[in-house]
Amino acid sequence: GGIITQTPKFLIGQEGQKLTLKCQQNFNHDTMYWYRQDSGKGLRLIYYSITENDLQKGDLSEGYDASREKKSSFSLTVTSAQKNEMAVFLCASSPTGVQNTLYFGAGTRLSVL
Amino acid sequence: GDQVEQSPSALSLHEGTGSALRCNFTTTMRAVQWFRKNSRGSLINLFYLASGTKENGRLKSAFDSKERYSTLHIRDAQLEDSGTYFCAVANNAGAKLTFGGGTRLTVRP
């Protein structure tokens, strides 16, 4: 079986700071995703990528950049952290094909002071 | 955009009992996936359905694309079933899943 590794697990930033979250998968999946989860809400898609160097905007892309440097790696940048922001960022991957099952990493918990 | 509503938002069950969680969506969807978020915050795959029903142990899920809903049935609930359950639906474009708001399940002794 494969695994999705997100780093760091916890991230504390300052208002206005640029913050980068990293995600690695060894499933050899084509598609990777970044979701944001706020307390009491469902997951919202920020960016996804269907192959290396591809980037597609989700519903919540404003304020974020992403980069698919290679097939196994997908990073997310918060361009300017908002004061008192708290959320969990989840990375996921899925194989291409009819069955688009998503597999998730353990998440990065962001707190902005 | 696509809308996905889960009900109930919270559910409390006694050990050994059962119930059903529901996921309604506003347009025809290609597939549905159910997850449980455990106490450590990890999202665990439960089911992926493009049609019909699937069963795994004490869990059973059904997907009706035409009627625009999916259900997750839990029977003989155990303490370790506690957590937040999410449904997510895939539209015909394929790559993107839209998540519901989740159902927080608490199983009590």
Side-chain angles (χ1 to χ4, degrees):
Chain A
I3 191 169
I4 297 178
T5 304
Q6 289 187 237
T7 55
K9 288 184 179 176
F10 299 95
L11 183 56
I12 298 176
Q14 302 285 334
E15 185 182 8
Q17 192 177 1
K18 186 174 177 180
L19 303 166
T20 298
L21 292 68
K22 293 188 180 295
C23 179
Q24 299 269 351
Q25 54 99 359
N26 63 0
F27 287 101
N28 199 33
H29 285 166
D30 291 310
T31 308
M32 295 186 74
Y33 310 77
W34 276 106
Y35 283 91
R36 172 181 166 133
Q37 185 183 22
D38 294 279
S39 180
K41 296 182 181 178
L43 281 67
R44 291 179 289 171
L45 182 63
I46 306 172
Y47 272 101
Y48 69 101
S49 164
I50 60 174
T51 189
E52 184 178 335
N53 294 320
D54 175 73
L55 211 53
Q56 309 280 344
K57 289 185 178 181
D59 301 316
L60 206 67
S61 59
E62 189 170 336
Y64 302 93
D65 286 326
S67 175
R68 184 83 181 272
E69 305 92 357
K70 48 187 177 181
K71 187 175 183 179
S72 62
S73 170
F74 193 30
S75 61
L76 180 73
T77 298
V78 180
T79 55
S80 179
Q82 301 299 303
K83 187 176 174 62
N84 297 324
E85 182 175 7
M86 286 182 65
V88 175
F89 292 85
L90 292 167
C91 175
S93 71
S94 69
T96 306
V98 177
Q99 294 240 339
N100 229 8
T101 305
L102 256 64
Y103 297 84
F104 280 85
T108 293
R109 186 175 295 275
L110 171 67
S111 297
V112 181
L113 304 177
Chain B
D2 300 329
Q3 296 288 328
V4 182
E5 289 187 5
Q6 280 188 249
S7 60
S9 56
L11 179 64
S12 181
L13 294 176
H14 285 292
E15 256 187 310
T17 63
S19 189
L21 285 59
R22 190 171 173 105
C23 178
N24 291 317
F25 26 94
T26 54
T27 59
T28 301
M29 295 297 178
R30 180 175 58 82
V32 66
Q33 191 168 0
W34 284 91
F35 301 88
R36 182 177 70 242
K37 189 174 185 184
N38 64 17
S39 58
R40 294 192 303 275
S42 295
L43 273 174
I44 310 299
N45 286 307
L46 297 176
F47 293 104
Y48 178 95
L49 295 97
S51 65
T53 63
K54 283 187 180 178
E55 191 164 356
N56 185 3
R58 295 177 291 101
L59 298 178
K60 181 177 179 180
S61 183
F63 175 49
D64 190 327
S65 176
K66 185 178 176 184
E67 298 299 323
R68 300 178 185 174
Y69 76 91
S70 176
T71 55
L72 178 68
H73 293 260
I74 300 173
R75 63 177 175 82
D76 187 24
Q78 303 297 303
L79 296 177
E80 61 264 28
D81 293 333
S82 294
T84 302
Y85 289 76
F86 290 98
C87 69
V89 291
N91 61 20
N92 288 326
K96 178 180 163 184
L97 289 188
T98 301
F99 280 76
T103 294
R104 184 184 294 274
L105 172 66
T106 304
V107 181
R108 304 183 190 281

